Amino acid sequence: MAGKEIYHKVKDKVKDAFSSSGPETGKGKTKLSGKRVKHGYHLVKGKSNHPMEDYLVAEYRQVGDHDLGLFAIFDGHLGHTVPDFLRSHLFDNILSEPEFLSDPKTAIEKAYQLTDEKILEKASELGRGGSTAVTAILIGSDKSVKLVVANVGDSRAVISKNGVAEQLSVDHEPNMERQSIEKKGGFVSNLPGDVPRVDGQLAVARAFGDRSLKKHLSSEPYVVEETINENSDFLILASDGLWKVMSNQEAVDAIKDFKDSQAAAKHLTEQAVNRKSKDDVSVIVVKFLC
């Protein structure tokens, strides 16, 4: 069955979904290949004067013989319209790619590019802002559960394996991609007291949207795949409002004894606020249980 046909067949089978227009906290659970999966999420608005710019997705779907867990955090800048668009469309575009089940990495790369093109086409409607993204897809089959993580920007995915934190995403900082940015005609500013910025404006080197910077800004995701096994404890997805004030291992250690994913996610947001994070903070915790 073609990817688009699969998607339209299962579009109405969403068990649990969330956006920033809904409650600030919640949870859900399912079984993937015999393994119990429980997730919880929590959001806290930062101290800025603008509306909340973090959006997230946490839902389960079935595609053919495969059960899926779909999780994402979108951290907007210069407005909330781009992350809202991503919440509504990015996973749909990924699942509509014909090779999604056979080659999820390629499908995700294509869908990220397609989605960014649509955002740029709608710039007059969506505005001049943009958004980071980190997406995690759990794919359950008869024998195993595969995890596919992708990201652009500095929203981050961290997995705990036997209590040890492992970062699955890449923080796309401007200095890391200075050569590529300069080759495209852009520059990276390094002003005293400020973080590096693309063309003196944006503090990440990859993002969706940002039409005025797009000549120098990439939306190509970093993608990694791995198998969930007995060593996999839980996954944390969070916006940089958490990671600015907590290391990967500190975040894992802070919630390793929590049995409830929702309580764990809430605890991390509270820790971020206690550590004086001023940004919006969004956290999803996905626990893997035998």
Side-chain angles (χ1 to χ4, degrees):
M1 185 180 294
K4 290 185 178 180
E5 293 173 340
I6 292 174
Y7 165 68
H8 288 300
K9 183 176 180 180
V10 303
K11 188 176 181 181
D12 60 348
K13 292 188 178 181
V14 176
K15 300 176 184 177
D16 177 48
F18 172 79
S19 77
S20 70
S21 61
E24 66 177 11
T25 190
K27 59 178 155 182
K29 60 183 179 179
T30 193
K31 273 193 175 182
L32 298 177
S33 303
K35 185 181 291 292
R36 287 185 297 147
V37 176
K38 294 185 177 182
H39 77 266
Y41 54 78
H42 195 81
L43 297 92
V44 174
K45 185 184 178 303
K47 297 184 180 300
S48 61
N49 294 324
H50 58 67
M52 180 69 160
E53 293 180 338
D54 280 9
Y55 281 64
L56 65 78
V57 172
E59 67 182 53
Y60 302 108
R61 300 189 193 183
Q62 186 175 8
V63 173
D65 296 328
H66 298 264
D67 294 316
L68 306 179
L70 307 177
F71 306 96
I73 285 179
F74 308 115
D75 182 359
H77 45 266
L78 296 179
H80 67 276
T81 53
V82 172
D84 186 21
F85 184 90
L86 291 168
R87 175 195 60 82
S88 300
H89 297 285
L90 183 56
F91 277 126
D92 292 351
N93 290 342
I94 292 172
L95 299 185
S96 294
E97 289 294 331
E99 69 268 51
F100 167 68
L101 291 175
S102 60
D103 187 0
K105 181 177 185 294
T106 298
I108 289 170
E109 290 172 343
K110 288 183 178 180
Y112 266 59
Q113 181 62 36
L114 172 65
T115 306
D116 194 39
E117 290 172 358
K118 294 296 184 182
I119 290 170
L120 296 177
E121 289 174 5
K122 294 177 173 289
S124 60
E125 173 187 343
L126 297 177
R128 62 191 182 95
S131 179
T132 70
V134 59
T135 57
I137 303 178
L138 292 170
I139 305 174
S141 63
D142 291 338
K143 298 181 179 180
S144 64
V145 177
K146 179 191 294 185
L147 171 64
V148 189
V149 169
N151 86 291
V152 292
D154 55 6
S155 293
R156 189 183 300 175
V158 173
I159 192 169
S160 171
K161 295 181 179 180
N162 293 325
V164 178
E166 177 183 330
Q167 185 169 326
L168 299 179
S169 56
V170 169
D171 294 345
H172 293 121
E173 299 175 352
N175 276 338
M176 290 176 53
E177 305 197 18
R178 176 188 293 271
Q179 185 174 358
S180 174
I181 292 166
E182 291 178 346
K183 184 177 287 187
K184 296 174 182 177
F187 69 93
V188 176
S189 64
N190 284 278
L191 298 177
D194 194 13
V195 297
R197 296 180 183 275
V198 177
D199 294 353
Q201 299 178 56
L202 190 63
V204 291
R206 301 191 190 189
F208 285 97
D210 296 293
R211 185 178 181 85
S212 64
L213 298 175
K214 207 74 229 186
K215 289 182 179 179
H216 310 146
L217 192 68
S218 172
S219 60
E220 180 182 353
Y222 175 83
V223 186
V224 65
E225 301 181 26
E226 68 169 65
T227 300
I228 298 300
N229 55 35
E230 64 275 6
N231 298 321
S232 308
D233 307 317
F234 53 84
L235 176 71
I236 302 172
L237 301 183
S239 57
D240 68 331
L242 176 71
W243 306 117
K244 285 176 180 176
V245 296
M246 294 189 79
S247 70
N248 297 340
Q249 192 61 52
E250 284 176 328
V252 165
D253 290 343
I255 62 170
K256 63 183 179 181
D257 295 326
F258 278 72
K259 293 184 178 180
D260 183 80
S261 297
Q262 182 182 17
K266 183 178 181 181
H267 182 69
L268 286 177
T269 63
E270 291 172 342
Q271 287 295 303
V273 172
N274 290 341
R275 295 183 182 211
K276 310 302 181 185
S277 178
K278 294 179 172 58
D279 202 353
D280 299 336
V281 184
S282 300
V283 179
I284 303 171
V285 176
V286 184
K287 295 185 70 69
F288 310 113
L289 306 168
C290 295

